[in-house]
Amino acid sequence: MPLAAQFTTVPVVVDDEKCIAEKGCRVCIDVCPLDILRINEETEKAYMAYDECWYCMPCESDCPTGAVKVNLPYLLK
Ligand code: SF4
Ligand code: SF4
């Protein structure tokens, strides 16, 4: 199988155990310049709705609970 076919996840992952969106937090959604983070209405947690990330990082650095992980592509590291 070609390697590219294995990339099925989006680059920004939210740890549902840490995310406190159900308590009203919207920090990552508010700081994202591309407006691609959303609240999952079923889980009440934040998630990446569109894979158009700029890897600018405020969602990860500003999240009060450290729930956001931005997985940088290899070429940007
Ligand atoms: S900033 Fe962190 S805690 Fe707040 S909604 Fe986003 S992922 Fe959840
Ligand atoms: S790294 Fe930037 S563009 Fe990507 S989700 Fe976070 S705030 Fe949005």
Side-chain angles (χ1 to χ4, degrees):
M1 181 189 298
L3 189 60
Q6 296 178 11
F7 286 99
T8 54
T9 54
V10 291
V12 176
V13 179
V14 174
D15 184 338
D16 285 357
E17 299 284 315
K18 294 181 180 174
C19 178
I20 53 169
E22 77 279 8
K23 294 179 180 164
C25 182
R26 296 291 183 271
V27 171
C28 60
I29 291 164
D30 289 345
V31 296
C32 177
L34 295 184
D35 194 24
I36 53 180
L37 303 177
R38 295 279 188 278
I39 299 297
N40 180 324
E41 291 190 1
E42 282 184 19
T43 64
E44 296 188 301
K45 304 295 184 180
Y47 74 105
M48 179 172 241
Y50 304 102
D51 184 2
E52 294 176 3
C53 189
W54 278 350
Y55 306 103
C56 53
M57 306 303 284
C59 57
E60 180 177 307
S61 57
D62 290 359
C63 173
T65 64
V68 181
K69 175 70 183 143
V70 178
N71 293 301
L72 288 174
Y74 177 72
L75 289 174
L76 286 180
K77 281 182 182 172

